[in-house]
Amino acid sequence: MPTYKAPVDDVKFLLEDVFGIERYNNLPGFADASPDIVEAILSEAAKFCQEVLFPLNRVGDHEGCKRGPDGSVTTPKGFKDAYRQLVEGGWIGISAPTEFGGQGLPVLLTEAVNEFLCSANMAFAMYSGLTQGAIAALYAHGTPEQKATYLPKMIEGRWTGTMNLTEPHCGTDLGLLRTKAVPQADGSYKITGTKIFISAGEHDLSDNIIHLVISRIAGAPEGTKGISLFVVPKFLVNADGSLGARNALVCGSLEEKMGIHGNSTCVMNYDGATGWLMGEANRGLSAMFTMMNEARLGVGVQGLALSEVAYQNAAAYAKERLQGRALSGAKFPDKSADPIIVHPDVRRTLMTIRSFNEAARALVMWTALYSDIAHHSEDEKQRRDADDQMGLLTPVIKGVLTDQGFANTVMAQQMFGGHGYIAEHGMEQFVRDARIAMMYEGANGIQALDLVGRKLPKDGGRAVMAFFNEVQAFINEKKSDATMKPYVEPLNVALGHLQQATMWFMQNALGKPDNAGAGAMDYMHLFGLVALGYMWCRMIAAAGVKLKAGANGSAERMNSKLVTGRFFMERMLPETAAQLARIQAGAESTMALPPEAF
Amino acid sequence: MPTYKAPVDDVKFLLEDVFGIERYNNLPGFADASPDIVEAILSEAAKFCQEVLFPLNRVGDHEGCKRGPDGSVTTPKGFKDAYRQLVEGGWIGISAPTEFGGQGLPVLLTEAVNEFLCSANMAFAMYSGLTQGAIAALYAHGTPEQKATYLPKMIEGRWTGTMNLTEPHCGTDLGLLRTKAVPQADGSYKITGTKIFISAGEHDLSDNIIHLVISRIAGAPEGTKGISLFVVPKFLVNADGSLGARNALVCGSLEEKMGIHGNSTCVMNYDGATGWLMGEANRGLSAMFTMMNEARLGVGVQGLALSEVAYQNAAAYAKERLQGRALSGAKFPDKSADPIIVHPDVRRTLMTIRSFNEAARALVMWTALYSDIAHHSEDEKQRRDADDQMGLLTPVIKGVLTDQGFANTVMAQQMFGGHGYIAEHGMEQFVRDARIAMMYEGANGIQALDLVGRKLPKDGGRAVMAFFNEVQAFINEKKSDATMKPYVEPLNVALGHLQQATMWFMQNALGKPDNAGAGAMDYMHLFGLVALGYMWCRMIAAAGVKLKAGANGSAERMNSKLVTGRFFMERMLPETAAQLARIQAGAESTMALPPEAF
């Protein structure tokens, strides 16, 4: 039977010891996030995820969602009751604005809880995850009336949200979209078109579904400059807030897909559905990016979450499965064989995943902290700098955490041999579920281009220079400390590779952008390794402080950090040299063949 | 709709231009493999695979196999008729001994055809693939009576074969097996026990199923030294060759698994089933390894085969899907967008897969040629040397071609974005099917240990020294040739890394075997890159000769080789430096944590 235990202690270590959130008590919500409140939230979330959601994970995969002839969608057995508990627990609105009923706590906490939710049941967690994205977009771009109408119910969770971008012929290139919006006399619009791959597009969990739909207003310019964003509820809302008529939209079919069967992936048909403009006309794409950026961070968390739950199950199996003997001689001569955790290749696998997970969790927390600062600091420069880092790190988190998260589920599955391939142990579901995160919310190739083509050059490279300076300053500060040396020295080498790669782009990609495109994916992963390596150094420094102070019962965990961080430096960081070599190879052999040769 | 075209021209280039099989006309079967016979076999196989098997691939995945209450198993619609055509075409016995009805052609051709079969329909191809393995084991270890009884019908394909090793509590560590064999007065044995993960264990394609089962004779020693191999037919065979009574064995259930749904993966219950000893008592494991080694080469081919069909579909999609514009400016301004093949990251993906596939196919052909020489040469030293190389390369082919083959299916799927995640395009099936190849016939971690722990030190390192010498001699011969220089120089660097890694093991792993275990996986992949890089150099040299000679209408293909080989050198080989660094990091941080810390 698959198993899951939420990493509450690790999150607390990050919040309290590594990032010291009490230093941010001047930000709204942070003072409320006292250690006991944090403890209560995390342990309650852990309990809900472990006891309610995780047992439904296999059920959801096995049953999937079912569409009725009327276009209604039934979620798997148990999802409805679990969703009711999610709403009652107030889990959707932890960080939502208090003025609309949210708890206003730091985004840090939402991301921590979202990791637990996705580890326990990713398909289920997507229903609330998309709602959180829609809340963010409505809060940023909605009119006061729209906010008042939709936000309280969505923050409570009684209504859910979706984002409708993709059409059959266009995904990445939204400028090609064909969905039309025709203005009506009353200020509303009639929306007509077909959207595909709409997660949570129709289901039986909530009373209403608030679709955010991009569409072209009749007569608007072609391309991305003629795209507007609309709010299109499944049920129209009366002036008193009660539900009115059914809107002219329907789920046309459900996709047959590789995984996340518990989430309804819908073809949505809008047939003159009533919608209202959100934000300015023809500026819908930038408004949608508010939601996309939230969502991209959330998708990165999915990569981490599945890597974590896969790791836990692989570790449990490695300690329990008896097979063969240790290379250095039997460790349990009284048993018929040793547990496979004695084998170095099994250890290598576990350490690879673990050393990634712990650093990835830190990177998510760090970025979420930037999000809180960017939204709430009273200092304009601080807000700007935090926003810079958030923008820089978001594609890295989305791309690297989902690529590596998926690879880790595959590695964890591998440890089970043939038993990993059958449904019983749950490992193959983790692989199938994790796979989507590399593709949706902008396929990872797009994340790499966003990083290299947009985020690097933005504002004269201000964000990336600030990142380099911060990492370099940390290295300089710690390099003479003997206990930190084995960590900061490899990081310094990796940072050097990243800086050389950045320089190479500056010198070779301006005149020939294909050189940037051909190296973008390697650059994103190189950036990821440096960022994760930096997180390890921050964690090692914090663990050192904690150990010196007596560690308060966490000495074993802190000592494990020292080993796991060393493994990361020795085994993960060497890849940066290969990434740099590939980047510097440029685009020539990549682009040389004519298309017809393929 | 998914598409597949067998790479007939590429196989012919390898056979004729790269490996010059006409030079081996002294070996039995090779003289019969004249260019026109080869052409006929490959093009007929291509036609059968493209037109009959490939259309059934999706059907097989969707329907799966069904078990009836009596333990019978029904294969998906269309499989039975396709199997009949396979038998009529004589495809199973291409390289089987002529004395039992085979065609006695080189193993080279069987491996080429098996690639086509697996690309078209891996689940289907497993029925005949396992039969070929069982034929090899029976031919090598069966008594004359057993051979006469079983081989003609199996080579024809009217009867199929299986291998029964795994039990619920033991897979890798077969010494733990519990299946019992009790000797009977008539010389037969009664076999009792449960075997799991038995591919093609029960189905409706053939008249009889010949199970090769490992089991412990009552009173035999514990562990691997007490294992014997038995032939256990589903129907007992009368003296005249007709089918007799049903044997006491039954399919207890079918596994619910991630992919290869068209193949029946059975729990097999033996309840006093009648079997006959094959080979010596208590020496069953080494007999089984005859079959395993054949099977491992075949599984490596599966990795290549799925990488190839995934590549072809990704390339077709890249040329057809319109989305966005080239970084260097619109290439098709008259269309609504450019096809995505203009994007460097899409090209990088296609070139990565392609540069692997072409070299992997060469490596399979090269190893199959060694197999032919090892089995048929009249020169004892030549046989021994060929056997050395086959033994050395088999774990590399199994481990590297399936790891990278799977990774390639994932990369190819990625190019489709969300469309890759749904069943319609077939990409997610390639991923699910390819996944098993990394796990069965010895999980890839076991292949790495086999390479490092067994094949490297064997006979004082004779095999690996011969491999190094051959590659080094080729480099030395070509390095002053200006056209070869860009290829052999990077290969020389990679070979140096491999030699350093080998030396490091010699110096650091004898006293501390964990150092070998912790580096084994990287070593296997490092070895793979050197072997594939060597294959590229051989292909480039052959392409150069062909281009100089006028190329006979293949100039475009040969020029593509020059580019694709360069891509491999620039983009794939740099990884060897990182692999060496990880190997040299040793086992310390990998093994430092106590088991309870996981």
Side-chain angles (χ1 to χ4, degrees), chain A residues 529-597:
Chain A
L529 281 174
V530 170
L532 295 170
Y534 176 52
M535 290 298 106
W536 264 118
C537 287
R538 296 275 305 256
M539 290 191 284
I540 296 299
V545 170
K546 218 169 156 74
L547 281 166
K548 254 188 209 147
N552 245 341
S554 64
E556 201 183 296
R557 269 200 303 120
M558 293 304 108
N559 281 316
S560 293
K561 291 275 178 211
L562 303 188
V563 172
T564 310
R566 200 145 48 74
F567 180 92
F568 188 88
M569 299 299 157
E570 291 174 1
R571 292 270 176 171
M572 299 295 113
L573 281 192
E575 187 64 24
T576 59
Q579 290 161 332
L580 176 62
R582 288 194 289 266
I583 290 165
Q584 291 178 334
E588 207 284 324
S589 65
T590 306
M591 302 300 287
L593 290 185
E596 59 274 17

Side-chain angles (χ1 to χ4, degrees), chain B residues 494-568:
Chain B
L495 177 64
H497 291 155
L498 180 60
Q499 289 168 326
Q500 286 176 65
T502 311
M503 189 70 76
W504 192 89
F505 281 148
M506 287 169 62
Q507 290 165 344
N508 296 281
L510 288 175
K512 204 184 157 195
D514 282 350
N515 276 331
M521 188 58 95
D522 272 307
Y523 187 87
M524 179 178 80
H525 281 279
L526 170 51
F527 203 112
L529 281 174
V530 171
L532 294 170
Y534 176 52
M535 290 298 107
W536 264 118
C537 287
R538 296 276 303 258
M539 290 191 283
I540 295 299
V545 170
K546 219 171 156 74
L547 280 167
K548 253 188 209 147
N552 247 341
S554 64
E556 201 183 297
R557 268 200 303 120
M558 293 305 108
N559 281 317
S560 293
K561 291 276 178 212
L562 303 189
V563 172
T564 309
R566 201 146 45 75
F567 180 92
F568 187 89

Side-chain angles (χ1 to χ4, degrees), chain A residues 171 173 319 323-324 347 354 410 413-414 421 432 435 438 566 570-571 575 586 588-589 593 597-598, chain B residues 171 173 319 323-324 347 410 413-414 421 432 435 438 566 570-571 575 586 588-589 593 597-598:
Chain A
D173 187 356
K319 287 189 277 189
Q323 206 78 180
R347 285 291 185 113
R354 174 188 184 130
V410 172
Q413 178 192 26
Q414 183 69 17
Y421 199 65
R432 289 185 289 102
R435 183 66 185 89
M438 296 159 71
R566 200 145 48 74
E570 291 174 1
R571 292 270 176 171
E575 187 64 24
E588 207 284 324
S589 65
L593 290 185
F598 289 90
Chain B
D173 188 356
K319 288 189 276 189
Q323 206 79 179
R347 286 290 186 115
V410 172
Q413 178 192 27
Q414 183 70 17
Y421 199 66
R432 288 185 289 102
R435 183 65 187 90
M438 296 158 71
R566 201 146 45 75
E570 291 173 1
R571 293 270 176 168
E575 187 65 23
E588 207 283 323
S589 65
L593 291 185
F598 288 91

